[in-house]
Amino acid sequence: MEAQFAEGGRLSMEAEISERARVDAAGLSLADRLRGSLGTHVKVRLVSGAVFEGTLVYAGVDAFVLNDKRHQVLVPHLAVESYAGLGRFSVSEPSAVRRSIGLSNALRGLARDRSELTVLLRSGSAQDSGMAGVIDKVGRDYLDLAALRPGEARRAPHVGHVCTVPFSALAAIRSVFTGDL
Protein backbone atom coordinates (compact mmCIF):
# COMPACT_ATOMS: atom_id res chain seq x y z
CA MET A 1 0.00 0.00 0.00
CA GLU A 2 2.91 2.34 0.75
CA ALA A 3 4.33 1.72 -2.73
CA GLN A 4 0.96 2.60 -4.32
CA PHE A 5 0.77 5.80 -2.28
CA ALA A 6 4.32 6.77 -3.34
CA GLU A 7 3.52 5.99 -6.99
CA GLY A 8 0.37 8.13 -6.80
CA GLY A 9 2.39 11.01 -5.36
CA ARG A 10 5.01 10.69 -8.11
CA LEU A 11 2.36 10.65 -10.85
CA SER A 12 0.68 13.69 -9.31
CA MET A 13 4.01 15.57 -9.29
CA GLU A 14 4.71 14.62 -12.92
CA ALA A 15 1.25 15.85 -13.94
CA GLU A 16 1.84 19.17 -12.15
CA ILE A 17 5.24 19.60 -13.82
CA SER A 18 3.72 18.88 -17.23
CA GLU A 19 0.91 21.37 -16.63
CA ARG A 20 3.37 24.07 -15.53
CA ALA A 21 5.46 23.45 -18.67
CA ARG A 22 2.34 23.88 -20.85
CA VAL A 23 1.44 27.12 -19.07
CA ASP A 24 5.02 28.42 -19.50
CA ALA A 25 5.00 27.55 -23.21
CA ALA A 26 1.69 29.37 -23.69
CA GLY A 27 3.40 32.61 -22.63
CA LEU A 28 6.20 32.40 -25.20
CA SER A 29 6.12 34.43 -28.39
CA LEU A 30 7.35 33.47 -31.83
CA ALA A 31 10.11 36.07 -31.44
CA ASP A 32 11.26 34.28 -28.25
CA ARG A 33 11.36 30.97 -30.10
CA LEU A 34 13.31 32.51 -33.00
CA ARG A 35 15.71 34.23 -30.59
CA GLY A 36 16.42 30.80 -29.10
CA SER A 37 17.46 29.59 -32.56
CA LEU A 38 19.85 32.41 -33.48
CA GLY A 39 22.88 31.13 -35.37
CA THR A 40 21.10 28.04 -36.68
CA HIS A 41 20.21 27.18 -40.28
CA VAL A 42 16.48 27.52 -40.87
CA LYS A 43 14.16 27.23 -43.82
CA VAL A 44 11.02 29.36 -44.08
CA ARG A 45 8.10 29.01 -46.43
CA LEU A 46 6.20 32.24 -47.01
CA VAL A 47 2.46 32.50 -47.61
CA SER A 48 3.35 33.49 -51.19
CA GLY A 49 5.04 30.10 -51.67
CA ALA A 50 8.56 31.55 -51.76
CA VAL A 51 11.14 29.66 -49.69
CA PHE A 52 14.24 31.12 -48.04
CA GLU A 53 17.03 29.25 -46.27
CA GLY A 54 19.89 30.63 -44.27
CA THR A 55 21.38 31.37 -40.91
CA LEU A 56 19.03 33.13 -38.52
CA VAL A 57 20.98 36.22 -37.41
CA TYR A 58 18.32 38.49 -35.91
CA ALA A 59 14.90 37.97 -34.36
CA GLY A 60 12.81 41.01 -33.53
CA VAL A 61 9.33 41.49 -32.21
CA ASP A 62 7.71 41.35 -35.67
CA ALA A 63 10.45 40.35 -38.15
CA PHE A 64 13.64 38.34 -38.48
CA VAL A 65 16.74 38.30 -40.71
CA LEU A 66 18.28 35.33 -42.52
CA ASN A 67 21.73 35.39 -44.11
CA ASP A 68 22.54 33.12 -47.03
CA LYS A 69 25.73 33.21 -49.08
CA ARG A 70 24.63 36.17 -51.23
CA HIS A 71 21.73 37.92 -49.50
CA GLN A 72 20.24 39.12 -46.27
CA VAL A 73 16.50 38.63 -46.12
CA LEU A 74 14.27 40.56 -43.74
CA VAL A 75 10.97 38.73 -43.25
CA PRO A 76 7.94 39.92 -41.26
CA HIS A 77 6.55 37.16 -39.02
CA LEU A 78 3.08 37.57 -40.56
CA ALA A 79 4.41 36.63 -44.02
CA VAL A 80 5.57 33.17 -42.90
CA GLU A 81 3.55 30.01 -43.40
CA SER A 82 6.01 27.62 -41.71
CA TYR A 83 9.50 27.28 -40.24
CA ALA A 84 11.83 24.28 -40.43
CA GLY A 85 14.94 23.88 -38.30
CA LEU A 86 14.01 25.92 -35.23
CA GLY A 87 15.53 24.67 -32.00
CA ARG A 88 13.51 23.73 -28.94
CA PHE A 89 14.74 26.65 -26.83
CA SER A 90 13.14 30.04 -26.34
CA VAL A 91 14.86 33.21 -25.15
CA SER A 92 12.86 36.19 -23.99
CA GLU A 93 14.13 39.71 -24.70
CA PRO A 94 15.09 41.32 -21.40
CA SER A 95 15.46 44.83 -22.83
CA ALA A 96 12.26 46.88 -23.06
CA VAL A 97 13.96 49.12 -25.61
CA ARG A 98 14.82 46.20 -27.92
CA ARG A 99 11.31 44.78 -27.49
CA SER A 100 9.94 48.05 -28.86
CA ILE A 101 12.15 48.00 -31.98
CA GLY A 102 10.02 46.78 -34.85
CA LEU A 103 9.97 46.36 -38.59
CA SER A 104 9.81 50.10 -39.24
CA ASN A 105 13.12 50.61 -37.40
CA ALA A 106 14.89 48.03 -39.57
CA LEU A 107 13.41 49.57 -42.71
CA ARG A 108 14.50 53.06 -41.66
CA GLY A 109 18.06 51.72 -41.39
CA LEU A 110 17.84 50.39 -44.95
CA ALA A 111 16.43 53.73 -46.12
CA ARG A 112 19.18 55.69 -44.37
CA ASP A 113 21.88 53.48 -45.97
CA ARG A 114 20.20 53.83 -49.39
CA SER A 115 20.57 50.06 -49.73
CA GLU A 116 19.66 48.57 -53.08
CA LEU A 117 17.09 45.88 -52.38
CA THR A 118 14.22 43.82 -53.68
CA VAL A 119 10.76 43.93 -52.11
CA LEU A 120 8.67 40.78 -52.42
CA LEU A 121 4.93 40.99 -51.81
CA ARG A 122 2.70 38.50 -50.01
CA SER A 123 0.42 38.36 -53.06
CA GLY A 124 3.32 37.45 -55.38
CA SER A 125 4.11 33.97 -56.58
CA ALA A 126 7.12 31.92 -55.51
CA GLN A 127 8.73 32.77 -58.87
CA ASP A 128 8.05 36.51 -58.55
CA SER A 129 11.36 38.38 -58.56
CA GLY A 130 9.84 41.34 -56.71
CA MET A 131 10.36 45.09 -57.10
CA ALA A 132 13.92 46.42 -57.15
CA GLY A 133 14.75 49.81 -55.74
CA VAL A 134 15.71 51.94 -52.76
CA ILE A 135 13.50 52.79 -49.81
CA ASP A 136 12.76 56.52 -49.92
CA LYS A 137 10.59 56.86 -46.83
CA VAL A 138 9.24 54.70 -44.01
CA GLY A 139 6.02 55.52 -42.19
CA ARG A 140 4.43 53.77 -39.24
CA ASP A 141 2.89 51.07 -41.43
CA TYR A 142 4.16 51.62 -44.97
CA LEU A 143 7.26 52.30 -47.05
CA ASP A 144 7.87 54.20 -50.26
CA LEU A 145 10.10 52.33 -52.73
CA ALA A 146 11.83 54.24 -55.53
CA ALA A 147 11.96 51.77 -58.41
CA LEU A 148 15.40 51.57 -60.02
CA ARG A 149 17.19 49.30 -62.42
CA PRO A 150 19.86 47.20 -60.64
CA GLY A 151 23.14 49.05 -60.21
CA GLU A 152 21.71 52.52 -60.73
CA ALA A 153 22.18 55.15 -58.04
CA ARG A 154 19.13 56.78 -56.45
CA ARG A 155 18.97 59.94 -58.53
CA ALA A 156 15.79 61.64 -59.74
CA PRO A 157 16.34 60.84 -63.45
CA HIS A 158 16.85 57.13 -62.69
CA VAL A 159 13.63 56.66 -60.70
CA GLY A 160 10.97 54.94 -62.78
CA HIS A 161 8.25 55.52 -60.18
CA VAL A 162 7.70 55.50 -56.43
CA CYS A 163 5.52 52.72 -55.07
CA THR A 164 3.91 52.84 -51.61
CA VAL A 165 3.80 49.41 -49.95
CA PRO A 166 1.83 48.76 -46.75
CA PHE A 167 3.72 46.59 -44.24
CA SER A 168 0.79 44.16 -44.34
CA ALA A 169 1.64 43.42 -48.00
CA LEU A 170 5.34 42.66 -47.39
CA ALA A 171 6.57 39.09 -47.80
CA ALA A 172 10.31 39.78 -47.61
CA ILE A 173 12.98 42.35 -48.32
CA ARG A 174 16.15 40.96 -49.85
CA SER A 175 19.42 42.88 -50.04
CA VAL A 176 22.93 41.95 -51.06
CA PHE A 177 24.78 40.41 -48.12
CA THR A 178 27.44 42.78 -46.84
CA GLY A 179 28.78 40.56 -44.08
CA ASP A 180 27.34 42.60 -41.21
CA LEU A 181 23.92 43.22 -39.72
Side-chain angles (χ1 to χ4, degrees):
M1 194 179 290
E2 192 175 310
Q4 287 178 335
F5 183 71
E7 180 66 15
R10 187 184 64 75
L11 290 174
S12 177
M13 181 187 283
E14 285 180 7
E16 184 175 338
I17 290 170
S18 293
E19 180 59 24
R20 286 186 184 189
R22 281 190 288 277
V23 168
D24 287 346
L28 296 173
S29 70
L30 178 59
D32 295 337
R33 181 81 185 278
L34 291 167
R35 219 173 281 112
S37 296
L38 290 175
T40 62
H41 184 86
V42 297
K43 181 177 181 178
V44 295
R45 175 176 294 283
L46 306 185
V47 294
S48 67
V51 175
F52 292 103
E53 286 188 65
T55 302
L56 183 60
V57 295
Y58 172 79
V61 66
D62 54 6
F64 61 92
V65 176
L66 291 177
N67 283 353
D68 66 18
K69 290 180 177 144
R70 297 180 47 217
H71 299 100
Q72 280 190 322
V73 184
L74 174 69
V75 181
H77 297 280
L78 294 176
V80 178
E81 181 177 279
S82 64
Y83 298 85
L86 293 183
R88 310 238 337 121
F89 298 108
S90 295
V91 176
S92 62
E93 177 56 68
S95 167
V97 172
R98 277 184 270 181
R99 277 194 306 267
S100 68
I101 295 173
L103 179 61
S104 60
N105 294 83
L107 295 174
R108 279 197 245 332
L110 291 169
R112 181 186 58 246
D113 297 343
R114 308 306 268 168
S115 300
E116 213 177 290
L117 44 82
T118 303
V119 173
L120 291 99
L121 301 177
R122 290 178 62 161
S123 63
S125 69
Q127 295 77 28
D128 188 2
S129 61
M131 300 180 296
V134 172
I135 297 175
D136 266 353
K137 179 170 61 174
V138 178
R140 184 178 359 158
D141 57 357
Y142 72 93
L143 64 87
D144 282 347
L145 182 73
L148 303 171
R149 285 190 281 279
E152 287 187 340
R154 170 54 173 105
R155 305 278 185 265
H158 297 151
V159 175
H161 64 279
V162 175
C163 182
T164 300
V165 180
F167 288 175
S168 61
L170 289 176
I173 296 180
R174 187 178 57 222
S175 60
V176 175
F177 182 57
T178 60
D180 58 308
L181 180 62

